[in-house]
Amino acid sequence: MQRLNFPNFKFRFKNSENKLAIFDVVRKKFILLTPEEWVRQHVVHDLIYSKNFPISLINVEKVIKINDLVKRYDVVVFKPNGSIHLLIECKAPQIKITQETFNQIARYNLELQADLLFITNGLEHYPCKMDYEQQNYIFLKKLPNYDEL
């Protein structure tokens, strides 16, 4: 798999029927290794092992309903009270981050109301803080550590 713009992490892999899978520490199971999953697993490991987010507050690939459409978010980090700190959208490395990507996460966030958004293709990262009063987002230099929130 392609080298990404994250620290080096140790991952668990398994090969089944000539298909490579990666172990997801949040979902506690092996997941088919696609380019997008490679990015998602780097994000999850970065949250846990670099930024000290409690694994118990991280949720991966869950269904949400937006305007009667069923969608699936990549990663959400909850606050201890159940509201959402962080909504993350992952794309495969070959996918360019465009305005449409920001529109997608903004649509999800209409429902989820996260404090922070993070969009990445593993190579480029766009952390943002929501400004609900002005109805926009403010780009940050980096995604904060858990203890900085």
Side-chain angles (χ1 to χ4, degrees), residues 51-99:
K51 300 197 175 294
N52 299 314
F53 282 81
I55 194 170
S56 61
L57 298 178
I58 300 172
N59 205 288
V60 178
E61 279 216 307
K62 294 290 183 191
V63 170
I64 56 171
K65 213 171 182 182
I66 301 168
N67 298 328
D68 293 327
L69 296 173
V70 176
K71 300 291 184 181
R72 184 180 297 269
Y73 63 70
D74 284 308
V75 181
V76 159
V77 178
F78 290 95
K79 296 178 186 177
N81 71 6
S83 62
I84 297 176
H85 263 310
L86 174 61
L87 171 60
I88 301 170
E89 179 62 31
C90 300
K91 298 294 184 190
Q94 71 272 17
I95 304 295
K96 287 198 179 300
I97 306 295
T98 64
Q99 184 61 51

Side-chain angles (χ1 to χ4, degrees), residues 12-25:
R12 288 176 47 204
F13 299 97
K14 90 173 181 184
N15 199 333
S16 178
E17 298 174 13
N18 285 336
K19 292 184 179 169
L20 192 59
I22 188 167
F23 189 76
D24 183 318
V25 296

Side-chain angles (χ1 to χ4, degrees), residues 38-51:
W38 183 236
V39 173
R40 189 168 21 256
Q41 290 307 310
H42 275 79
V43 167
V44 167
H45 277 67
D46 192 48
L47 290 172
I48 297 167
Y49 302 114
S50 299
K51 300 197 175 294

